Amino acid sequence: MKSIIRQSLLCLFLPCAAVSYAQTSEADYFSGALAGKVVSADFADRKLDVGEVESTRKSLWDKWVKAVKAMPLPSLIATEPLDSARNGSIALPDSLEPHAVMPYYWGTKGEISATGHTSIPTFVYLHGSGPKQIEWANGLQLALRFADAPCHYFIPQIPNEGSYYRWWQRAKQWAYRWLWLQLMTEPTVDPDRIYLFGISEGGYGSQRLASFYADYLAAAGPMAGGEPLQNAPAENLGQIGFSFLTGSEDFMFCRNIYTRLTQSALDSLEKVYPGEYAHRVELIEGRGHGIDYTLTTPWLLQFERNPWPRHFVWEDYEMDGLHREGFYNLKVDERPSDSLRTRYDVNIGGDGQIDIQVRNVEYIPVEKEDRWGFTLKWHKAFTAAEGGRFTLFLDEHLVDLNGKATVTVNGKVVFKGKLKPNYRAMVESLATFGDPQRIYPVALEVVY
C-alpha cells in the first residue's frame, strides 16, 4: 500500500485535490503540497543516520524555498527603506471573500549593515477600523516613529470595510499564511524574531491572531483592544512575550474589563507554569481609547521565539470556521470532537519521557455584563478526549535521536522504543509548518 503524506499548511490556497500518485520527487511533492493536493511520498520512506540530519535539513529547505518562489502567487515586493512608502498587494481568493485585495507596505528601518547580522526582526502591524486608506497611512507614520530599528515592517491595509468586518476572518487568515511563507523564506528575516501588534481593531485582531498563530511569533502586542478569552485563549501564549496596553477608561465594548481579565488569566497561568507566560498587561490610568503607542515595540524586541518548547499548552479551536493543522511540534490528524475544543498539554522530559494530556474543553458562561450583553467570564469544563489521532514530531532539541522515548497520552503508554530518524518525517514536518526551524527527523503517529 502506498504511503500517503497529508499536507495542510496552505490547503486554503487552492481547494484540496484528489489523491495523486504522480509525485516522484521532493520538488514535485512540495509544489503539490503548496497547491493543496494530497500526494504520494513513497520517495521519502528511508531511514537517516543522526549525522545526516543537519545536511538533509538544509537540502530540503533549499527545495522548499524554490517551491514557494515558484508558486503562482506574488512574492513580497523587494525590500526598500520604509520611508519610501513602497507598497505591493495580494489578491485574496474569491471563494473566501469576493473582490478582496490586501495592499501592504513592506520595508526596512535603520542601518541594517551596521548590525553585523544577515537577518533582522520583523514587525507586522494591524491598523484600526476607521477609513482604511487613512488608517493605513497613519500606520506607516506610526511605524516610522517607533524606536525599534533596525527591523522590517509589514503593514497591511484591510481589504474591505463594513459591519463586523475583522482582521481575523478566514480570507485574512489566508493572507497571514501567505505572509508566514514569505517571511520564512526571506533571507533577511529572522524567523525567530517576528512580532505582531495592532491598535484598536488591530488590537482585537492581533490578540486573536497571537493566540491562534503563537508558534510563529516571538511576541505580540495588542493595544486599545480587549477580546473575550473564549476568542483568544490565554493558554496558547505560553511561549511568547505578550504586551497588552489599554486605557483604564476605555469603556466601549468592555475593552478595559476584558484587558483586566486577560491580565488575571495570564497571572494565574504564570503561577502554574513559572517562566512560561511572560506578559505585561496594564490599564493606563486616566486614559480612554487613546494611549501612548510608542511603548509596545521596544518591549517586544526583548523576546526571541523558542521553536522547540519542552512544554506547551495548546487549545485547538476554530476561528471563523478554520482550525490550525498543528502547533509547535504536534500535528492533528483527526480531532476527537467536532463540537468541542481540544486542549493539548505537552510535556517533554530530558530523559525521553513524554507525557501528553488531551482534554475536550467546554465553555460554560458564568458572568455577563448589562450594557452590552457580553459574557465576561466562563467556566472551562474538561473531559478526557478519546477517538483522536495526532503526529508528534521530535528533533535533537527535544530528545536524544540515538536514544529511546516513552510517550504517554492520558495515562496510557502509546509508544515505547528506540527513535528512528527518517526522511519522511522531515519532508512531512516541513510541508506541515513551512518553517526552517521545524524540520523534524522523527514522527510518532499516535491514536488515543
Side-chain angles (χ1 to χ4, degrees):
M1 181 176 179
K2 290 184 178 289
S3 172
I4 304 299
I5 291 180
R6 183 176 64 86
Q7 186 287 135
S8 305
L9 173 70
L10 287 170
C11 200
L12 290 177
F13 276 117
L14 293 171
C16 283
V19 173
S20 168
Y21 295 108
Q23 313 302 331
T24 58
S25 71
E26 297 91 331
D28 288 339
Y29 173 74
F30 286 147
S31 296
L34 286 164
K37 297 177 181 177
V38 181
V39 297
S40 170
D42 285 339
F43 66 87
D45 284 332
R46 64 180 174 86
K47 296 179 181 180
L48 288 175
D49 291 331
V50 172
E52 297 179 272
V53 167
E54 188 55 33
S55 61
T56 302
R57 190 176 278 137
K58 291 177 180 178
S59 174
L60 282 174
W61 182 249
D62 288 343
K63 293 171 182 176
W64 174 260
V65 171
K66 289 178 181 178
V68 171
K69 299 304 181 185
M71 290 172 61
L73 289 169
S75 297
L76 279 172
I77 59 174
T79 306
E80 293 187 5
L82 189 63
D83 57 11
S84 71
R86 189 161 186 265
N87 60 78
S89 64
I90 179 74
L92 311 188
D94 282 342
S95 60
L96 299 176
E97 182 181 328
H99 314 298
V101 175
M102 179 181 281
Y104 62 86
Y105 295 116
W106 169 245
T108 58
K109 287 173 58 179
E111 187 59 44
I112 297 173
S113 60
T115 67
H117 297 285
T118 57
S119 57
I120 58 174
T122 299
F123 288 95
V124 179
Y125 169 77
L126 306 182
H127 66 66
S129 61
K132 64 177 186 174
Q133 192 68 36
I134 295 173
E135 292 281 354
W136 188 43
N138 287 344
L140 176 62
Q141 295 307 309
L142 286 169
L144 291 169
R145 285 173 41 201
F146 296 151
D148 46 28
C151 63
H152 298 97
Y153 259 88
F154 181 86
I155 308 171
Q157 180 192 109
I158 204 162
N160 291 301
E161 297 173 316
S163 178
Y164 205 67
Y165 188 74
R166 302 291 186 255
W167 279 112
W168 46 264
Q169 289 162 333
R170 61 178 61 197
K172 277 75 74 179
Q173 287 189 53
W174 182 96
Y176 304 128
R177 297 185 186 207
W178 168 82
L179 178 61
W180 303 148
L181 273 185
Q182 299 301 313
L183 295 181
M184 291 290 167
T185 54
E186 169 56 52
T188 63
V189 169
D190 185 337
D192 293 331
R193 291 190 293 169
I194 298 175
Y195 308 94
L196 175 67
F197 74 111
I199 298 170
S200 190
E201 184 59 47
Y204 288 102
S206 57
Q207 185 180 358
R208 282 208 187 204
L209 292 162
S211 178
F212 207 63
Y213 293 106
D215 51 329
Y216 286 100
L217 301 175
M223 291 179 277
E227 280 284 358
L229 287 171
Q230 185 186 35
N231 297 339
E235 288 84 349
N236 294 357
L237 304 173
Q239 297 299 326
I240 70 172
F242 186 74
S243 171
F244 191 4
L245 305 178
T246 303
S248 64
E249 297 179 13
D250 196 349
F251 305 122
M252 186 71 72
F253 306 128
C254 304
R255 292 188 190 106
N256 58 340
I257 297 174
Y258 283 127
T259 299
R260 188 172 65 249
L261 291 171
T262 300
Q263 179 184 35
S264 177
L266 288 169
D267 287 348
S268 297
L269 286 163
E270 175 63 19
K271 290 179 181 177
V272 177
Y273 307 107
E276 294 190 23
Y277 285 86
H279 63 282
R280 176 189 66 174
V281 183
E282 297 179 5
L283 289 171
I284 310 303
E285 279 301 319
R287 302 304 297 267
H289 199 47
I291 59 173
D292 184 354
Y293 303 132
T294 67
L295 304 176
T296 292
T297 59
W299 189 89
L300 300 182
L301 273 174
Q302 68 184 293
F303 296 95
E304 291 190 19
R305 179 178 68 144
N306 174 14
W308 318 287
R310 289 186 171 278
H311 174 257
F312 65 88
V313 179
W314 175 38
E315 185 172 312
D316 175 21
Y317 65 104
E318 60 84 17
M319 190 159 66
D320 198 23
L322 301 177
H323 278 267
R324 287 290 308 279
E325 287 71 49
F327 199 70
Y328 287 112
N329 61 318
L330 188 149
K331 178 173 72 76
V332 176
D333 299 310
E334 184 176 343
R335 290 183 172 80
S337 172
D338 292 330
S339 59
L340 297 176
R341 301 173 180 222
T342 308
R343 182 184 191 269
Y344 299 87
D345 190 329
V346 179
N347 288 275
I348 301 174
D351 56 357
Q353 299 295 315
I354 302 172
D355 180 71
I356 302 174
Q357 300 294 319
V358 188
R359 299 285 184 263
N360 294 321
V361 185
E362 182 181 4
Y363 279 70
I364 302 170
V366 296
E367 182 181 336
K368 287 193 174 184
E369 61 82 49
D370 295 331
R371 180 181 179 187
W372 305 100
F374 294 162
T375 299
L376 297 177
K377 296 181 181 180
W378 290 265
H379 167 69
K380 286 189 179 185
F382 298 100
T383 55
E386 297 178 345
R389 295 187 300 115
F390 62 81
T391 299
L392 182 71
F393 293 110
L394 300 168
D395 70 2
E396 66 273 21
H397 301 92
L398 299 168
V399 293
D400 177 1
L401 294 178
N402 285 312
K404 298 180 179 180
T406 300
V407 181
T408 303
V409 176
N410 294 344
K412 178 182 178 182
V413 175
V414 295
F415 174 86
K416 186 173 183 178
K418 184 173 175 54
L419 298 172
K420 299 177 181 179
N422 65 87
Y423 196 70
R424 181 177 183 267
M426 300 187 80
V427 171
E428 181 177 6
S429 56
L430 176 51
T432 299
F433 300 112
D435 187 338
Q437 302 285 58
R438 292 188 282 172
I439 306 175
Y440 298 95
V442 172
L444 302 179
E445 297 179 0
V446 173
V447 179
Y448 61 93

